[in-house]
Amino acid sequence: MRRFGYSRPDDVGEAIAQERRFPEAKFLGGGTNLVDLMKMGVEKPAHLVDITRLPLTQIEERGNVIRIGALTRNSEVAAHPLVLAKCPVLSEAILAGASPQIRNMATTGGNLLQRTRCFYFYDPSYAECNKRVPGSGCAAIQGYNRIHAILGGSDHCIATYPGDMAIALSALGASIVVQGPRGERTISLDRFYRLPGATPHIENDLKPDELITSIEVPTPTVTGSHYLKVRDRNSYAFALVSVAALVDLAPDKHIRQARFALGGVAPKPWRVPEAEEALVNRPATEAVFREAAEIAVRGAKPHRYNGFKVELAKRAVVRALTTASQRG
Amino acid sequence: MAESVGEPLDRVDARIKVSGRAIYTADQNIPGLVHAVLVTSTIAKGRIASLETSAAERVPGTLAVLSHKSRLPLAKDPMKVDPSSPADRALQLFQNDRVYYGNQPIAVAVAETLEAAFEAADRVVVRYEALKPSIALERADAYVPKKMGGAGDPAKSDRGDVSTGLASAAFRFEEIYSTPFHTHSPMEPHATIAVWDEPDKLTLYDTSQGIFGDRKRVASLLGIPPENVRVVSLFVGGGFGSKGPTWSHSVICAMAARRVNRPVKLVLRRPQMFGPVGCRTETRQTISAGAAKDGTLTALRNNVLSHTSTMDEFVEPASLPTRMLYSTPNNSTLQAVVRSDIGTPSYTRAPGEAPGTFALEVAMDELAYKLGIDPLELRLKNYAERDENKNLPWSSKSLRECYRQGAEKFGWSRRKPEPRSTREGNTLVGWGMATSVYPARRSPASARARMYSDGKVLVEAGTQEIGGGTYTIMTQIAADALGVPVARVTFRLGDTRYPPTPVSGGSQTAASTGSAVYEAAKALRDKLAQMPKDGWNGRPFVEAEASTRENEQEKQYSMYSFGAQFAEVRVDADLGQIFVSRMTGVFAAGKILNAKTARSQFIGGMVWGIGLALLENTVYDPRRIRVVNNNLAEYHVPTNADVGNFDVSWIEEDDLHVSPIGAKGIGEIGITGAAAAIANAIYHATGKRIREAPITPDKLI
């Protein structure tokens, strides 16, 4: 860990200005990931702009959209009546992650930017990590890759996005509102995250001087939803595979519409529109869910230690859709 | 005066612990303290080609950056260990440029503030000449060690003839069982504060499970008499064996303090707990068993393979339970080790018995299913009425009663024998059982008891509080022996100024130090009884001291604690997720000194059994031989969510062969057998026999 400067502005414009003013600056939210990475020597910012005093802590409904301030804490969002009433899958996903202590600190915006848990990214003694040092190689492809991606990876990087909340937000079709020196813009969450390709160090669409100010979640028209997390330990463990599923059933139990996203298997929340389309106007049966699951993991490329994820992901999709349907 | 021993007394240190007032090693507030941060190797084998400290030394507040280039002479070679001290480990104290394992200490930065020390450590630039490291278990150069474990048991054992026994068996089988590397992972990281009171007098605040061994090792390396070193360890935040030996960082801290002439604090960072302070080795156990149709064992064999390091020898004695747990006319065990490029493995939560009972008790379950005999019946059929390995009678053995009570409490008779016979929705439910066993050890110890003229009592003994309740049970023992209320007794420990006691390891503290406390209190009572009425006559206190010797009865009796464990698991049929929904443990472990702390101890051991069965696994990168999951997020120890309902009880015993207070020791028995009971329950639930711990979801789908 190295010395760093620190400032704590009160408004969004000043925060963005400070980020631009101080060289090698980073925004600091709850610090549950960035501080960890600083201790490990993965991140070495020269200055931290602490944004936790910015007025971005509202959770409110505007029309059919729930707007969640970027600095709301994970625990607040999970317990918020609007969230519980309108999109309980988001609460389920948040509560499946980390520990109460970490959720009390972690912010919504920061959680979206959580870095991968790839062992080789986390340990700078490995010279090879294209995410840490572009062009240096990937130690995971030939290394211990049990936790790594089976979908969306490249020859340059097979790290997964490790979080839970964003998987639910992806299935919910959420958007991210960001503010920068060029003003405000809104990006759909599915477009926000990028696949690694040849540039795994670029993980998302956010520019260094842009700040996430809120998340917009359209309130879904569904009869049931579920966040399923499969993990080695029953609490405080990252997902081997997770699935956020939303199902809208007609009274005759046919599926009007269904959406699902996978976690733990890809560099970003993994959503496959064709798999969702395959469910429309079909009966809510295990066979139909299995068809969608097969489509969802099409093109999977397992590595030496993570081959089990392909079958596990399919079973998790079936289970999550089944549970969501039964809740309907 | 009602006896307090056996009562569920609250811990005497409960209030200060829950209110944050208990002083752990790193909490010691020493004036003028400066901070040290270790730099550890990033390769597992080779040498340091260059080590550049100039950038580190320029960090403001830095006092010194020490390494093999700093000429830090020692009185003896730290890589050589005294064979008479089995807890001594080869240490890496900057004496040369060799690297033997990942995370070996290679330099230390000392600075006025912790932040500066972190930064200075980060700015040390090291280049290596790396060699290809090995961690392969199957190697041609595996060898059979002379002895193994803390007790120095032989690495081979033989009675009868196993091949004849197998040939005559109606049924025989052979399977390989494996357990992975484990890392102790106490909540409190290792920490040391070194204060040189005079040029040759050292006070060492150390997270130690064995302050007297620590004193001896540190003094001999620094070239000062042991009496010039005072080791203090008032509370240990978990050790699980890792804080038994003296490790490199403790000596490095003292060397650094001597160099900068200031008190120095060194706390290991969590990733640094993976390598330089021991681990449990991976084991591979090949068990062969033969039985008659009625289940009578005709032969039992366990060949064990495990790792040691390239610089030192530690042998995980996993074959021990196979030697003595069941009556078998033909029995053989053999342990071999390979030298791997890892930090030396060491004592870890029931060394030997934990992985050893996993293999043996899963094998017994397999045998029961193959013979069509109830697993509990099979164990009763082969009940050992004496220790056939040592050819001695048991000092006490209430295992039959443990089986009976355990089965009744758990409801074992309602078990449906067929695997996969109980399903609730997506959940497969299974039951399994296994036997627990752990040696009852006692070592020489001493204690001092003092009564003040106001009737208050102070008792002192070196020993250590590693979380089991030592402060409390010693207080109870002394109060009862003196016939005074517990509230009048204060017990002090964790300081080499107090009478010498053994390491808090091998589950021996209650029997060893407890007996010395009992004898000292009894001696004080006798002294007081014999004093004339005016004997106090202005004296502020009356004092007595007592020491116990080696237990001569060990030659006449074999001494073990036993137990029976039953587990229920709920396994997701599609996703392979496992939950241990309930466990029943009934133990026979001598006199139980405090019903509350004992219950916690048993539960703690059983919870570690869940860790062994389902979770714990220290994983090395296959090429670099560097631990990849070197943190508590990814090295999985059980959480509350992994633990279902526990029903724990014990059989009353009073084993005076083991100790004058009748206690056998309970620290480690809970983990033994627990993992096998869970693995057996998983088989019963799913029909899948997993012989490789940990049993994770991927192995079940």
Side-chain angles (χ1 to χ4, degrees):
Chain A
M1 192 141 162
R2 305 219 166 159
R3 276 163 297 172
F4 54 86
Y6 175 85
S7 55
R8 197 170 61 190
D10 291 325
D11 70 81
V12 172
E14 176 58 17
I16 291 166
Q18 286 188 4
E19 199 285 333
R20 287 163 70 87
R21 191 156 72 238
F22 294 107
E24 295 176 66
K26 275 199 170 290
F27 293 122
L28 174 72
T32 55
N33 191 210
L34 178 57
V35 173
D36 228 21
L37 291 165
M38 288 167 66
K39 285 183 185 170
M40 298 303 294
V42 178
E43 294 276 13
K44 296 184 176 182
H47 187 92
L48 290 180
V49 180
D50 182 342
I51 55 172
T52 55
R53 294 292 168 95
L54 304 185
L56 302 172
T57 56
Q58 295 294 309
I59 299 174
E60 57 199 352
E61 194 172 21
R62 292 184 189 171
N64 291 328
V65 171
I66 298 174
R67 198 178 165 109
I68 301 168
L71 290 169
T72 49
R73 307 285 173 168
N74 275 179
S75 47
E76 288 173 62
V77 178
H80 199 277
L82 262 179
V83 173
L84 288 169
K86 302 285 174 79
C87 46
V89 70
L90 177 58
S91 179
E92 254 188 294
I94 291 171
L95 294 176
S99 66
Q101 294 88 340
I102 292 173
R103 295 195 296 267
N104 283 340
M105 289 301 292
T107 63
T108 301
N111 196 177
L112 289 173
L113 303 178
Q114 183 178 9
R115 309 296 301 274
T116 183
R117 294 297 303 193
C118 172
F119 308 122
Y120 304 97
F121 169 73
Y122 241 82
D123 183 348
S125 83
Y126 287 91
E128 320 92 308
C129 176
N130 288 323
K131 201 181 264 303
R132 235 188 315 106
V133 185
S136 60
C138 174
I141 290 171
Q142 298 300 322
Y144 184 71
N145 44 37
R146 181 172 181 265
I147 66 168
H148 289 75
I150 52 168
L151 291 159
S154 72
D155 293 342
H156 303 271
C157 184
I158 55 169
T160 55
Y161 173 79
D164 295 294
M165 181 188 78
I167 310 304
L169 288 173
S170 170
L172 285 161
S175 295
I176 298 172
V177 183
V178 304
Q179 178 100 40
R182 297 159 296 278
E184 189 181 272
R185 64 192 180 106
T186 302
I187 323 150
S188 86
L189 185 129
D190 288 332
R191 287 173 191 271
F192 177 75
Y193 293 108
R194 293 200 191 169
L195 290 178
T199 55
H201 59 290
I202 302 169
E203 296 178 348
N204 55 56
D205 203 36
L206 198 67
K207 307 286 177 294
D209 57 3
E210 282 182 323
L211 185 67
I212 299 174
T213 53
S214 66
I215 317 297
E216 292 183 343
V217 186
T219 50
T221 311
V222 295
T223 49
S225 64
H226 181 46
Y227 185 75
L228 171 70
K229 183 172 180 177
V230 185
R231 45 184 155 176
D232 286 325
R233 176 164 71 178
N234 290 319
S235 173
Y236 194 48
F238 291 94
L240 294 169
V241 170
S242 70
V243 181
L246 296 97
V247 177
D248 189 25
L249 290 187
D252 68 354
K253 299 295 170 196
H254 271 66
I255 302 164
R256 273 199 289 250
Q257 201 202 355
R259 298 204 299 263
F260 65 91
L262 285 142
V265 293
K268 58 182 275 190
W270 196 252
R271 201 168 156 203
V272 180
E274 301 90 299
E276 295 175 358
E277 281 153 24
L279 293 165
V280 176
N281 290 326
R282 305 281 302 281
T285 63
E286 190 176 324
V288 169
F289 295 149
R290 184 83 193 178
E291 267 181 54
E294 296 285 351
I295 298 170
V297 300
R298 211 180 263 164
K301 196 180 165 200
H303 300 273
R304 183 171 167 198
Y305 295 95
N306 70 358
F308 69 94
K309 281 191 180 182
V310 181
E311 178 60 25
L312 186 60
K314 288 192 261 184
R315 294 183 184 193
V317 167
V318 172
R319 175 67 63 77
L321 287 168
T322 305
T323 307
S325 303
Q326 286 161 352
R327 285 181 180 179
Chain B
M1 189 73 233
E3 290 209 340
S4 73
V5 162
E7 293 300 306
L9 245 68
D10 288 345
R11 288 168 190 257
V12 296
D13 48 350
R15 275 175 190 281
I16 62 167
K17 274 192 168 172
V18 299
S19 58
R21 285 176 292 146
I23 303 297
Y24 289 77
T25 297
D27 301 332
Q28 292 281 356
N29 191 6
I30 311 292
L33 191 74
V34 297
H35 300 267
V37 171
L38 279 183
V39 179
T40 60
S41 66
T42 59
I43 63 163
K45 184 181 188 178
R47 60 176 286 275
I48 300 163
S50 72
L51 190 144
E52 203 35 69
T53 58
S54 49
E57 282 156 1
R58 282 198 300 273
V59 174
T62 302
L63 298 167
V65 182
L66 306 174
S67 69
H68 69 287
K69 293 159 75 182
S70 308
R71 295 177 191 278
L72 296 155
L74 293 167
K76 59 193 269 189
D77 180 358
M79 292 291 279
K80 291 217 166 68
V81 294
D82 174 2
S84 70
S85 304
D88 278 4
R89 298 272 70 93
L91 304 182
Q92 299 74 51
L93 304 178
F94 309 159
Q95 299 301 295
N96 58 47
D97 60 4
R98 290 279 305 277
V99 175
Y100 301 89
Y101 61 95
N103 264 357
Q104 174 186 318
I106 54 170
V108 66
V110 188
E112 293 283 354
T113 63
L114 181 60
E115 291 78 5
F118 269 131
E119 178 157 1
D122 190 40
R123 290 191 186 274
V124 174
V125 181
V126 188
R127 284 197 311 107
Y128 301 94
E129 279 170 19
L131 297 169
K132 192 175 185 299
S134 169
I135 201 168
L137 200 46
E138 299 291 336
R139 275 172 52 163
D141 57 354
Y143 70 98
V144 178
K146 287 201 179 69
K147 54 180 192 163
M148 58 184 193
D153 289 285
K156 297 160 81 160
S157 72
D158 274 299
R159 62 175 186 270
D161 181 53
V162 166
S163 41
T164 311
L166 287 172
S168 71
F171 183 81
R172 65 188 76 89
F173 83 103
E174 180 174 293
E175 291 291 352
I176 295 172
Y177 304 86
S178 51
T179 60
F181 283 99
H182 289 157
T183 304
H184 303 82
S185 302
M187 202 183 294
E188 177 201 39
H190 293 241
T192 308
I193 297 173
V195 186
W196 287 92
D197 307 305
E198 289 174 37
D200 63 346
K201 282 198 174 150
L202 174 70
T203 300
L204 203 64
Y205 301 90
D206 211 3
T207 51
S208 176
Q209 290 176 243
I211 55 175
F212 292 94
D214 198 25
R215 175 174 74 167
K216 189 175 156 212
R217 182 81 169 125
V218 170
S220 80
L221 288 165
L222 295 174
I224 54 177
E227 57 272 22
N228 284 15
V229 178
R230 177 186 173 205
V231 178
V232 178
S233 174
L234 301 181
F235 292 95
V236 178
F240 314 115
S242 70
K243 292 167 181 169
T246 299
W247 297 105
S248 303
H249 67 275
S250 297
V251 190
I252 289 169
C253 186
M255 291 158 73
R258 192 185 243 172
R259 178 61 64 95
V260 302
N261 204 20
R262 297 274 293 274
V264 172
K265 171 152 87 174
L266 194 165
V267 182
L268 293 193
R269 306 177 68 181
R270 183 58 60 178
Q272 293 174 341
M273 302 280 283
F274 293 75
V277 290
C279 64
R280 193 205 299 278
T281 166
E282 175 185 19
T283 73
R284 193 183 149 96
Q285 304 178 54
T286 306
I287 294 196
S288 314
K293 275 205 184 94
D294 69 350
T296 307
L297 284 169
T298 58
L300 193 58
R301 180 172 62 205
N302 188 0
N303 291 340
V304 182
L305 196 54
S306 65
H307 300 267
T308 186
S309 67
T310 59
M311 60 208 164
D312 197 352
E313 184 179 280
F314 178 85
V315 186
E316 176 89 17
S319 62
L320 293 178
T322 302
R323 295 178 185 180
M324 49 61 67
L325 194 51
Y326 297 106
S327 176
T328 41
N330 306 298
N331 187 296
S332 139
T333 67
L334 176 67
Q335 297 229 186
V337 283
V338 295
R339 293 200 177 276
S340 296
D341 298 301
I342 55 172
T344 309
S346 188
Y347 308 97
T348 311
R349 341 188 213 291
E353 276 76 14
T357 52
F358 174 76
L360 177 62
E361 289 296 280
V362 174
M364 287 297 281
D365 198 63
E366 295 205 52
L367 190 58
Y369 276 97
K370 284 169 181 163
L371 290 162
I373 297 176
D374 183 281
L376 177 51
E377 268 312 303
L378 181 69
R379 283 158 174 97
L380 289 167
K381 187 98 203 161
N382 294 286
Y383 197 82
E385 299 291 354
R386 56 193 276 112
D387 183 340
E388 295 176 5
N389 178 47
K390 290 183 187 159
N391 195 23
L392 289 174
W394 307 111
S395 62
S396 61
K397 180 178 180 180
S398 313
L399 177 58
R400 224 179 235 117
E401 192 55 19
C402 293
Y403 286 140
R404 197 191 65 73
Q405 286 195 19
E408 193 181 310
K409 283 163 178 277
F410 188 79
W412 186 254
S413 63
R414 296 195 304 275
R415 171 178 169 272
K416 292 186 236 163
E418 316 81 65
R420 232 182 152 86
S421 53
T422 305
R423 185 170 180 139
E424 295 170 10
N426 295 315
T427 304
L428 298 167
V429 184
W431 290 0
M433 60 84 55
T435 311
S436 299
V437 62
Y438 195 77
R441 298 195 179 95
R442 179 161 74 78
S443 299
S446 45
R448 184 159 56 223
R450 179 186 283 186
M451 182 173 277
Y452 291 90
S453 54
D454 64 358
K456 288 197 175 125
V457 177
L458 176 66
V459 183
E460 293 168 336
T463 202
Q464 301 76 213
E465 171 63 87
I466 58 172
T470 302
Y471 277 110
T472 309
I473 59 164
M474 298 303 163
T475 305
Q476 290 174 269
I477 292 167
D480 282 13
L482 280 163
V484 302
V486 167
R488 265 212 254 156
V489 180
T490 301
F491 180 73
R492 287 190 189 150
L493 57 69
D495 193 324
T496 50
R497 287 178 174 176
Y498 303 147
T501 50
V503 64
S504 291
S507 300
Q508 65 172 344
T509 299
S512 307
T513 304
S515 294
V517 165
Y518 171 75
E519 298 290 355
K522 217 170 58 163
L524 176 59
R525 191 187 59 191
D526 291 348
K527 203 167 175 178
L528 289 165
Q530 284 159 19
M531 264 171 42
K533 277 207 159 50
D534 58 352
W536 280 94
N537 208 5
R539 288 162 72 174
F541 59 82
V542 178
E543 185 177 272
E545 198 164 329
S547 296
T548 61
R549 287 195 287 269
E550 296 285 350
N551 188 1
E552 289 298 321
Q553 297 202 51
E554 280 176 12
K555 292 172 190 150
Q556 291 142 18
Y557 297 97
S558 175
M559 302 175 178
Y560 282 90
S561 293
F562 293 93
Q565 297 203 37
F566 297 80
E568 177 182 278
V569 298
R570 301 176 70 82
V571 183
D572 189 302
D574 303 319
L575 306 174
Q577 289 213 122
I578 303 156
F579 178 59
V580 181
S581 43
R582 63 190 182 100
M583 285 187 87
T584 297
V586 181
F587 301 93
K591 183 176 271 186
I592 297 305
L593 304 172
N594 179 315
K596 183 180 268 185
T597 57
R599 184 169 178 277
S600 297
Q601 288 265 78
F602 289 130
I603 290 175
M606 291 163 77
V607 168
W608 280 121
I610 296 176
L612 170 52
L614 307 181
L615 301 168
E616 291 182 73
N617 188 7
T618 305
V619 181
Y620 291 84
D621 173 69
R623 293 174 301 166
R624 288 267 300 273
I625 316 302
R626 188 171 164 74
V627 176
V628 295
N629 55 339
N630 59 5
N631 59 69
L632 293 181
E634 274 132 345
Y635 183 83
H636 290 160
V637 303
T639 64
N640 280 325
D642 298 291
V643 181
N645 292 320
F646 275 41
D647 176 9
V648 170
S649 58
W650 49 85
I651 308 296
E652 292 296 334
E653 284 185 334
D654 190 8
D655 193 332
L656 298 174
H657 298 303
V658 175
S659 65
I661 55 171
K664 283 180 173 174
I666 58 175
E668 284 155 286
I669 190 161
I671 187 176
T672 71
I678 293 164
N680 295 339
I682 290 169
Y683 173 74
H684 184 233
T686 64
K688 286 182 183 149
R689 182 64 75 181
I690 310 298
R691 302 182 183 91
E692 182 188 45
I695 305 173
T696 45
D698 49 309
K699 293 177 183 167
L700 291 176
I701 66 162

